[in-house]
Amino acid sequence: METYGGRRNQAERDAVTVETGYALCSALFAAAVLFGAVAGPALLFELPGTVETLLLRVGLTIAPVVFVARVISVLVRFRRERPQPSQPGRTSPDS
């Protein structure tokens, strides 16, 4: 994304903004789905107190972990996909 020794242009800044937004939205969705799957039964059904507490605590523990893991994985993958100059300063492989 960043040219060798230069600044980012508008298209590169826009790509970073879009990718960051995608990372946050997809992470929020994944965490919400996981929380609903784990803690949902405790919220919808009448369960014994211990089971209900356990499900809520597990959901509240796992959801932020999934959120952070998803954001990091998306942003690391995005960073890895940028083209890297193989030989900075050279215009062609033959020179």
Side-chain angles (χ1 to χ4, degrees):
M1 296 302 294
E2 190 168 298
T3 58
Y4 185 73
R7 298 177 57 126
R8 292 182 177 162
N9 62 27
Q10 185 64 41
E12 292 169 334
R13 288 193 305 266
D14 289 346
V16 170
T17 302
V18 168
E19 196 67 22
T20 302
Y22 169 72
L24 293 172
C25 289
S26 68
L28 182 64
F29 179 76
V33 167
L34 183 79
F35 178 78
V38 173
L43 298 172
L44 293 174
F45 304 114
E46 193 70 32
L47 298 173
T50 307
V51 174
E52 188 172 315
T53 303
L54 179 67
L55 288 175
L56 287 172
R57 286 187 181 170
V58 168
L60 287 172
T61 303
I62 292 178
V65 171
V66 168
F67 180 85
V68 170
R70 176 67 181 162
V71 168
I72 290 172
S73 70
V74 169
L75 294 179
V76 165
R77 186 179 67 232
F78 175 69
R79 186 172 182 195
R80 227 183 281 146
E81 289 177 359
R82 338 183 254 170
Q84 295 289 331
S86 60
Q87 298 174 333
R90 296 193 176 190
T91 57
S92 70
D94 303 277
S95 56

